[in-house]
Amino acid sequence: MLRTRSWPIESIAMWSTDDYDFINAKVHGMRSRLYEDARLAALLNCSNLTDLLQSLYPGRRRAFMDDVSVEKFLTEQYFDALTHIRHYMSGRSSVMVETILLRRTVENCKVVIQFWHQQKQGEPLPGEIGGYLVEDPNIATPAVKPMLDAEAMPDLVAKLPLQGLLPDLPDQMKAVFERYEKDHIPFYIFAALDRAYHDLLWESVQALRRGDRRVAVRVIGAELDAANILAALRLRFTYGLPMEETLPLLSAHGHLLNAESLELMCQAEGADGLIHRLPAEYKAIFVRAHGDLRESERLFWDHLYRMANRIFYQNMFNIGAILGFYVFKKIEFMNLARVIQGFRYELPASDIRRELIPLGH
């Protein structure tokens, strides 16, 4: 079952302040071991996939070489690094980092939903579900079978280990369940889960002390902006959802986007119109990407990397270094996954390099 938060966010006003001198020193040391710049570029000199994986993870078994186990291991490494930082925190910011860690539970729930959906549609399953679930102290994997035995999507969501985290979720998702029954597209459910999680994450940002909150609004807010834009484009123009059904699946919080600007954005008749209504710096990303969604996502992360890198070095006495590392570690995960995938398909190093998030300073 889900291990719920042992403190409500509204009750943490008297919590101690973190010792950022110590934590920042720790985080700077952890960053030095990330695959960025020269260390990342050096991986492209490996001769083949086996050589690459041995270079990254010496001593792993040969079975580790399949796509699923590699990505699972990368994901667990990402969350383990954040958990390590969390151990040194005791102030309000620790609640925000713990909320970030709850993303692991949400992603595991998406795996369960995808397996349940494919099972109900009579589609072949890709393997044993346990091989796809990321190790998570908040979820008891033996509880997966009763979830997969659920009769309908509302029953499944009610059984997901999210009740302590998002207790009203099944009631909030009634309209989404109806749309799923019409179209049988699980992305609707994923978007609803993301929206609920993003709202909770934003709540933890707003509970921070003023200096921490100012920095977190920029970093977490920009991440939520990107998630909202990409989800809106997919919901509106890939799946054809009307505006009134799209907006409830977007979080009304962010750095440059809010409920009003999201509504204006979603009123657009086409993808070009939606992009035209974005704030200038986000619109510029889509212009650079020539409207390509995959490339736009890559450039969004480049934008976030640049912002996080400035914050990492300019904010020594607040949560800036921690949030910077959070972004760097996530980008490392995405870049390593792309490098491994490129070697798996025997792509030239130049092609793999073009797929990487640039890490521009």
Side-chain angles (χ1 to χ4, degrees):
M1 295 299 293
L2 182 72
R3 184 182 65 198
T4 60
R5 292 175 299 180
S6 56
W7 54 86
I9 285 180
E10 62 271 15
S11 71
I12 62 176
M14 300 304 293
W15 276 47
S16 62
T17 303
D18 285 308
D19 178 3
Y20 282 123
D21 286 346
F22 175 79
I23 295 173
N24 286 349
K26 197 79 180 172
V27 168
H28 275 74
M30 293 173 71
R31 185 184 185 183
S32 70
R33 296 190 291 275
L34 295 182
Y35 281 90
E36 295 185 289
D37 301 325
R39 290 191 77 213
L40 182 64
L43 292 176
L44 300 181
N45 295 324
C46 292
S47 57
N48 52 44
L49 179 62
T50 303
D51 184 28
L52 171 68
L53 292 178
Q54 281 299 311
S55 176
L56 281 169
Y57 312 113
R60 298 288 297 186
R61 298 188 305 275
R62 185 172 179 80
F64 174 70
M65 290 181 61
D66 71 88
D67 283 345
V68 175
S69 58
V70 170
E71 184 159 345
K72 177 178 174 179
F73 184 70
L74 281 173
T75 306
E76 288 172 350
Q77 276 197 325
Y78 163 70
F79 283 113
D80 285 347
L82 297 181
T83 301
H84 183 71
I85 294 171
R86 167 69 184 84
H87 287 326
Y88 296 100
M89 303 174 71
S90 59
R92 298 184 186 194
S93 53
S94 66
V95 178
M96 192 200 68
V97 175
E98 188 158 305
T99 306
I100 289 172
L101 287 167
L102 289 172
R103 183 82 214 186
R104 176 171 44 191
T105 302
V106 175
E107 293 305 314
N108 275 341
C109 288
K110 288 183 183 179
V111 170
V112 175
I113 291 168
Q114 184 64 42
F115 267 72
W116 181 90
H117 167 80
Q118 291 183 224
Q119 183 176 272
K120 284 293 183 182
Q121 297 301 308
E123 299 172 6
L125 299 178
E128 292 293 327
I129 190 170
Y132 290 79
L133 294 173
V134 176
E135 184 179 339
D136 182 354
N138 292 324
I139 188 169
T141 49
V144 167
K145 188 179 185 307
M147 296 181 211
L148 294 178
D149 290 339
E151 289 297 319
M153 184 62 77
D155 304 318
L156 171 60
V157 172
K159 290 181 177 181
L160 292 175
L162 291 168
Q163 293 307 300
L165 172 62
L166 305 166
D168 300 324
L169 193 61
D171 289 337
Q172 294 172 6
M173 291 178 64
K174 287 179 180 176
V176 185
F177 293 145
E178 292 174 7
R179 172 55 70 172
Y180 172 80
E181 285 303 315
K182 292 178 184 176
D183 299 345
H184 297 289
I185 295 174
F187 183 74
Y188 302 151
I189 310 299
F190 299 159
L193 285 179
D194 284 342
R195 182 253 162 89
Y197 171 76
H198 289 153
D199 285 350
L200 185 69
L201 181 58
W202 191 255
E203 180 187 345
S204 73
V205 167
Q206 294 304 305
L208 295 171
R209 296 180 186 276
R210 182 185 300 174
D212 286 347
R213 183 169 65 247
R214 173 182 56 80
V215 175
V217 162
R218 292 177 63 197
V219 176
I220 301 297
E223 187 177 1
L224 266 57
D225 285 346
N228 273 334
I229 293 167
L230 295 170
L233 284 166
R234 192 168 177 185
L235 290 164
R236 288 283 286 117
F237 307 116
T238 300
Y239 297 124
L241 276 192
M243 181 196 72
E244 59 271 18
E245 290 188 52
T246 298
L247 282 174
L249 299 179
L250 307 179
S251 176
H253 308 292
H255 179 215
L256 300 181
L257 296 173
N258 55 26
E260 184 179 345
S261 53
L262 286 172
E263 182 172 356
L264 178 66
M265 185 180 80
C266 289
Q267 287 172 350
E269 292 298 321
D272 289 343
L274 187 151
I275 291 167
H276 180 72
R277 298 180 184 196
L278 294 176
E281 63 186 71
Y282 295 159
K283 190 190 305 182
I285 290 172
F286 280 93
V287 170
R288 284 176 63 200
H290 304 290
D292 183 284
L293 282 186
R294 178 177 170 82
E295 177 67 1
S296 297
E297 185 174 8
R298 189 179 77 93
L299 293 177
F300 259 116
W301 279 102
D302 174 47
H303 170 78
L304 191 54
Y305 178 90
R306 292 168 186 267
M307 176 194 295
N309 203 52
R310 290 192 298 271
I311 287 172
F312 185 82
Y313 289 112
Q314 294 172 0
N315 294 267
M316 298 300 295
F317 305 108
N318 59 34
I319 202 172
I322 295 169
L323 283 172
F325 181 83
Y326 160 67
V327 172
F328 305 147
K329 188 65 182 175
K330 184 173 283 192
I331 289 175
E332 180 200 48
F333 162 76
M334 290 187 285
N335 274 341
L336 288 180
R338 293 174 190 206
V339 169
I340 292 168
Q341 196 73 0
F343 270 84
R344 189 172 300 283
Y345 289 102
E346 301 181 347
L347 299 178
S350 57
D351 289 356
I352 298 173
R353 189 176 289 109
R354 281 194 292 270
E355 289 295 311
L356 300 180
I357 295 162
L359 306 185
H361 293 285

